[in-house]
Amino acid sequence: MQIIDGKATAAAIKAEIAAKVASRVAQGHRAPHLAAILVGHDGGSETYVANKIKACADCGFKSSLIRLESTKETPLDLAVLMAEIDRLNKDPEVDGFIVQLPLPHHIDEQAVIEAIDPSKDVDGFHPVNVGRQSTGLPCFHSATPAGIVELLRRHNIETAGKNVVIVGRSNIVGKPLAAMLLQKGPQGDATVTVCHSATPNLASVTRRADILVAAIGRPGFITADMVADGAIVVDVGTTRVPDSSRKSGFRLSGDVDYENVAPKCSAITPVPGGVGPMTIVSLMLNTLQAAEARD
Ligand code: NAP
């Protein structure tokens, strides 16, 4: 059984990006610039944004963090957020930007996503990028699915002709991953099944998977009886579960019952250290792509 090391793979890719950036800068180009808007103080979002800013430094990018306050007493005015998005859309010094999700409940996330200029939408969530991705056109690929595909590619895991079962149909993981793996050509050509909460006899479907992807958000949901012997398992889940032995008071748990599933697999991604670091690297690759498009 092979443990697919997303952390090491991500570090190798960041080094490749940093070398490209150094050569760009030596040729007189600007370093790529990623901006992030963070609304409020959600613990998970604070960590994700801090990791993205750190990855920018690792890659030689410039980064900017724009914090907008929102509390129960003084909820953020949508117009303020939209004005910030408009400013970043127009700023020639910013190659790409993200609005960290989730947003407070009173804000319409889809309206926010659609306000971002698709040429700066390095999260790949704008309908223009989603549509271009599903038709196989050049675009910013959604970061987590792109990270998974790259992780498989770098571990010589072929998708062509394989039965891939994805549990979870979110707009940021399940659906775009299905679209990517379905494409004709390298890193595609899979037969893809997407399952969700209304799928009957889920275990009978997941057991048919050569490659099983769990993107559910329920710790330990995929148990050993749901996995075929020799399957490749990709665990996208990252749920914070209380853990008093940790300084933070929590640990990250995947959607796969790792201890019992891993011995059955030919390869598996751990949590943490699997898909998570690859997601951030995909964001860096999209930002580099955005900067190159602006040369
Ligand atoms: P989401 O939007 O909540 O979607 C969860 C999906 O799981 C939905 O499609 C849901 O079905 C399905 N589901 C829930 N219960 C189910 C059940 N009993 N049987 C079958 N399907 C079920 O979640 P998400 O945003 O895709 O995220 C999923 C997990 O991945 C979370 O833990 C998240 O934190 C993690 N994540 C990690 C990364 C990373 O970089 N590592 C990135 C993104 C997300 P319905 O559609 O029918 O409700």
Side-chain angles (χ1 to χ4, degrees), residues 38 78 185 214 265 277 286:
L38 177 58
L78 177 62
C265 299
N286 280 349

Side-chain angles (χ1 to χ4, degrees), residues 79-160:
V80 172
L81 176 54
M82 289 301 197
E84 202 53 51
I85 291 173
D86 188 49
R87 186 183 70 73
L88 293 173
N89 280 341
K90 290 176 180 151
D91 186 342
E93 299 288 311
V94 171
D95 297 300
F97 66 98
I98 60 162
V99 179
Q100 183 64 43
L101 303 179
L103 291 168
H105 294 303
H106 71 282
I107 291 178
D108 177 354
E109 273 186 7
Q110 194 55 32
V112 169
I113 289 168
E114 290 186 31
I116 298 172
D117 178 339
S119 74
K120 293 193 175 186
D121 166 42
V122 285
D123 257 340
F125 293 162
H126 191 286
V128 166
N129 282 312
V130 175
R132 291 181 69 88
Q133 171 169 294
S134 57
T135 40
L137 293 168
C139 64
F140 293 122
H141 290 284
S142 183
T144 302
I148 294 169
V149 168
E150 186 61 11
L151 195 56
L152 297 177
R153 189 181 76 80
R154 290 203 179 221
H155 288 80
N156 300 315
I157 295 171
E158 189 55 71
T159 55

Side-chain angles (χ1 to χ4, degrees), residues 39-281:
V39 179
H41 294 274
D42 173 74
S45 295
E46 291 271 1
T47 307
Y48 293 137
V49 168
N51 289 341
K52 289 168 188 175
I53 299 287
K54 184 182 173 300
C56 283
D58 294 344
C59 294
F61 291 5
K62 181 178 175 192
S63 64
S64 313
L65 173 58
I66 297 129
R67 284 181 173 275
L68 299 177
E69 290 302 328
S70 185
T71 60
K72 250 192 197 141
E73 298 72 36
T74 321
L76 176 67
D77 183 349
L78 177 62
V80 172
L81 176 54
M82 289 301 197
E84 202 53 51
I85 291 173
D86 188 49
R87 186 183 70 73
L88 293 173
N89 280 341
K90 290 176 180 151
D91 186 342
E93 299 288 311
V94 171
D95 297 300
F97 66 98
I98 60 162
V99 179
Q100 183 64 43
L101 303 179
L103 291 168
H105 294 303
H106 71 282
I107 291 178
D108 177 354
E109 273 186 7
Q110 194 55 32
V112 169
I113 289 168
E114 290 186 31
I116 298 172
D117 178 339
S119 74
K120 293 193 175 186
D121 166 42
V122 285
D123 257 340
F125 293 162
H126 191 286
V128 166
N129 282 312
V130 175
R132 291 181 69 88
Q133 171 169 294
S134 57
T135 40
L137 293 168
C139 64
F140 293 122
H141 290 284
S142 183
T144 302
I148 294 169
V149 168
E150 186 61 11
L151 195 56
L152 297 177
R153 189 181 76 80
R154 290 203 179 221
H155 288 80
N156 300 315
I157 295 171
E158 189 55 71
T159 55
K162 297 286 173 61
N163 282 322
V164 178
V165 175
I166 303 168
V167 188
R169 58 175 162 185
S170 70
N171 288 339
I172 62 164
V173 187
K175 281 187 211 159
L177 179 61
M180 288 178 79
L181 295 173
L182 268 180
Q183 290 299 331
K184 213 175 177 63
Q187 280 70 63
D189 283 335
T191 303
V192 184
T193 306
V194 183
C195 304
H196 42 76
S197 64
T199 302
N201 304 320
L202 183 63
S204 70
V205 185
T206 56
R207 275 197 295 269
R208 292 205 301 266
D210 302 309
I211 301 174
L212 176 62
V213 182
I216 310 158
R218 296 180 63 166
F221 182 86
I222 301 291
T223 47
D225 59 306
M226 299 170 80
V227 180
D229 285 329
I232 291 154
V233 174
V234 176
D235 190 351
V236 186
T238 44
T239 306
R240 284 180 168 200
V241 295
D243 184 342
S244 55
S245 70
R246 304 283 172 100
K247 215 166 85 183
S248 61
F250 69 85
R251 65 188 154 80
L252 285 186
S253 175
D255 288 339
V256 176
D257 172 10
Y258 186 88
E259 201 184 327
N260 294 305
V261 169
K264 291 188 81 173
C265 299
S266 59
I268 186 166
T269 65
V271 176
V275 173
M278 292 300 292
T279 296
I280 295 185
V281 150

